[in-house]
Amino acid sequence: MNNQQKQHLLVVVYDSVTNSVFESQVFVPLVRMVTDGQVKQITLVTFEAALSIEKKLACFNHPAITFIICKRAPLLGIWSLSLAAVQLTLAVDFKIIDTVRARGPLAGLIAKKAVRWQRFFGARKALPLTLQARGLCAEEHRFSSEQQGLSFGKKMVAHWRQQLYGAIERRAYRKAKGVFVEAVSEALGDYLQEHYATPPRAIILAQHDLVEMLDQHTIAGYRLQVRALLKIPQDAYVYCYSGSCKPWQCAEETVQFFMAELEQNKQVFLLILSQDISQFQKILVKHRVPTEHVCLLAVQPAQLLRYLCAADAGMLLRKPDVVNWVSRPTKLLEYQAVGLRVVHNNTIGLLAKKHADCGIKN
């Protein structure tokens, strides 16, 4: 595709601008595309349950990016997304759009329908469409439900929703002319081919939303500053956990791993960067982590990489499941951006293939 075709990009988002990864995985990469000259103008359509998000959008002000807010109705069936596609068709002047990108299968199916409908409205050209596959929606819902100990009735609802997400993914990712599927890992691309019959030639690996690496001079400076600020000994070996305290992210297993390391080496230190302060405090008390060997704090997303520079290794333990195997965790990108060794347990395909020394075995 030449530069002339890339003048105006339409981006469709269904998982909200309030999503914790919107800034790092959606907005920042789009700004980079404008800065690098890949596109000149971006229209971002977001489907929101609450339309009063102007204050949130004010944080994402950029002269080349225009936001359009559409109402996100309850997802009761695939027909719900057809209604959303109607909204998208009416909200955007597709005659000025040169290419379309949609994040995830729900936004993907909405965009797919809207782009197809443009042919009936006399569109001047077929619009290239890229569906960004960032995980497995149906399997993620199943995996999350399994961790919650639901009642029988809620299990039935969860099963119905899993089947619905699976049907949406099949329609979004199956063969369609002019559609590319951007997968975050080779393992995810393989899964889409096997389960959703996505043509191999349609699959591309995501590159534009990688976290930019800091230079060594900056990392070294932040390392000294943050360790001094948090009173972490400069000669300590620092393990860092960045993320929430959800069971499937193995927060407690991470603390247990650290305590085993502490028994062998009194110079280790655990830095936890999380918004779930109270939950982590309970885990630290439960496992009797010495206060002089741990620091728990919440930091703003814009400051996260700076604090990660204080660490030597990033913790990324996950439960064995296909959801984790095909993933490319945002935390992995952030750890790699500051040059951390990644400690994992061979449950993420992207890491299992690249690192023979994973630091911990299943």
Side-chain angles (χ1 to χ4, degrees), residues 1-239:
M1 185 184 300
N2 58 43
N3 290 333
Q4 182 63 32
Q5 291 176 302
K6 291 186 176 181
Q7 295 300 300
H8 198 139
L9 169 66
L10 171 64
V11 177
V12 183
V13 173
Y14 196 83
D15 53 358
S16 179
V17 299
T18 62
N19 189 303
S20 61
V21 300
F22 176 81
E23 180 175 0
S24 63
Q25 294 295 289
V26 181
F27 184 72
V28 170
L30 291 179
V31 171
R32 194 184 306 145
M33 290 179 70
V34 174
T35 303
D36 294 345
Q38 298 179 51
V39 295
K40 283 191 174 181
Q41 190 69 33
I42 297 173
T43 296
L44 191 150
V45 177
T46 176
F47 288 84
E48 302 287 341
L51 298 181
S52 54
I53 58 169
E54 289 79 6
K55 185 176 180 180
K56 181 68 176 178
L57 287 180
C59 302
F60 305 119
N61 184 37
H62 190 280
I65 301 178
T66 301
F67 286 87
I68 297 177
I69 306 172
C70 291
K71 177 65 177 177
R72 187 176 72 209
L75 183 61
L76 302 177
I78 293 180
W79 59 269
S80 303
L81 299 182
S82 295
L83 295 178
V86 172
Q87 286 190 73
L88 178 61
T89 302
L90 297 176
V92 176
D93 180 5
F94 277 84
K95 293 180 181 178
I96 65 172
I97 300 300
D98 297 297
T99 185
V100 183
R101 176 173 292 169
R103 179 177 172 83
L106 286 83
L109 189 53
I110 293 169
K112 203 172 182 181
K113 289 176 179 291
V115 167
R116 186 170 67 244
W117 291 345
Q118 293 311 304
R119 307 302 293 170
F120 297 100
F121 292 99
R124 56 188 171 90
K125 61 193 173 198
L127 292 175
L129 171 62
T130 299
L131 306 186
Q132 297 177 302
R134 292 301 176 258
L136 299 172
C137 195
E139 291 296 330
E140 286 172 3
H141 185 76
R142 183 267 310 159
F143 185 60
S144 176
S145 300
E146 289 176 352
Q147 313 300 313
Q148 299 178 41
L150 302 177
S151 65
F152 177 77
K154 290 184 178 179
K155 285 183 179 179
M156 295 299 292
V157 173
H159 179 72
W160 167 79
R161 190 160 290 273
Q162 178 190 345
Q163 296 300 310
L164 174 59
Y165 285 143
I168 291 171
E169 287 180 315
R170 279 191 294 275
R171 294 199 183 192
Y173 296 137
R174 69 185 179 188
K175 183 178 180 180
K177 186 178 180 180
V179 176
F180 292 93
V181 177
E182 185 185 79
V184 293
S185 69
E186 291 183 4
L188 179 56
D190 293 341
Y191 186 97
L192 295 178
Q193 292 178 56
E194 180 179 353
H195 294 269
Y196 295 140
T198 307
R201 65 180 179 278
I203 296 176
I204 54 179
L205 285 179
Q207 297 292 331
H208 79 283
D209 56 354
L210 299 177
V211 179
E212 289 188 293
M213 291 191 65
L214 300 185
D215 63 77
Q216 292 300 314
H217 179 75
T218 300
I219 293 173
Y222 283 158
R223 179 186 177 90
L224 292 173
Q225 292 173 17
V226 175
R227 287 199 176 201
L229 176 66
L230 301 180
K231 297 181 172 55
I232 301 174
Q234 294 295 338
D235 60 348
Y237 190 89
V238 178
Y239 291 97

Side-chain angles (χ1 to χ4, degrees), residues 325-341:
W325 183 256
V326 305
S327 70
R328 188 197 64 185
T330 302
K331 299 309 167 189
L332 170 61
L333 303 182
E334 293 165 348
Y335 291 160
Q336 291 176 334
V338 298
L340 299 187
R341 169 194 171 217

